[in-house]
Amino acid sequence: TSRYAWSMATSTPSGAPLTERELAAWRGMLRTHRDVVARLDAELERQHGLPLTSYEVLMILADAPRRRLRMGELADALLLSRSGLTRLVDRLERQDMVKRERCEDDARGYFAVITDAGLERLKTTRPAHLAGVRRHFLERLTERDLDALARAWQRVSE
């Protein structure tokens, strides 16, 4: 184990109440995520009529091999339930931004595939989204803060 993991394990019992510092870090991460996502969602809706979750579907599919993913893989990537993803893909399909294709090797499975219209919509909304990410998150931090956060998120996700 790493020195960090060992020091955490020996300094605080896993079921002990959080210290003020720990609680501030945890709640701060949750609050910041909620607030930034809400702002980004509201801006995309207002400027482009596209919810953030729909933008994320288009972005993930555009970056996927052959611009498609199995529905289950897409749900996992978005942290959505299967039924939540089905409703979201239904809406995007009605708007001609995504289509479903049957899996060749699994008659019950489907791929979600981004359409040309979906790629165009992503292209037109991406600048607004990236500007929002910068304005609501990145520009509020120093380069040192960004480096520290990147290291911290990496440690947490390992």
Side-chain angles (χ1 to χ4, degrees), residues 122-137:
L122 178 63
K123 182 180 172 184
T124 61
T125 57
R126 183 171 268 170
H129 174 68
L130 296 178
V133 169
R134 285 189 175 90
R135 184 174 48 262
H136 298 300
F137 185 70

Side-chain angles (χ1 to χ4, degrees), residues 91-151:
R91 284 193 301 273
L92 291 171
E93 237 181 345
R94 285 192 297 273
Q95 297 171 345
D96 192 37
M97 290 189 275
V98 171
K99 64 181 179 179
R100 286 183 178 91
E101 289 180 356
R102 202 172 272 291
C103 296
E104 301 86 26
D105 60 340
D106 178 3
R108 295 175 300 152
Y110 284 90
F111 287 101
V113 184
I114 191 168
T115 64
D116 290 342
L119 284 170
E120 186 58 33
R121 190 72 179 273
L122 178 63
K123 182 180 172 184
T124 61
T125 57
R126 183 171 268 170
H129 174 68
L130 296 178
V133 169
R134 285 189 175 90
R135 184 174 48 262
H136 298 300
F137 185 70
L138 299 173
E139 290 175 357
R140 297 172 184 225
L141 301 167
T142 66
E143 287 186 19
R144 190 174 182 179
D145 293 336
L146 293 173
D147 291 341
L149 279 174
R151 284 191 307 273

Side-chain angles (χ1 to χ4, degrees), residues 49-89:
L50 188 70
L52 184 59
T53 52
S54 296
Y55 172 86
E56 289 174 341
V57 167
L58 298 177
M59 184 181 60
I60 289 168
L61 290 176
D63 291 340
R66 298 177 58 195
R67 295 186 172 152
R68 68 185 196 165
L69 281 176
R70 292 182 68 110
M71 292 288 285
E73 292 172 314
L74 184 56
D76 291 344
L78 291 164
L79 307 176
L80 286 175
S81 67
R82 303 287 196 259
S83 61
L85 177 67
T86 296
R87 288 189 300 273
L88 180 54
V89 169

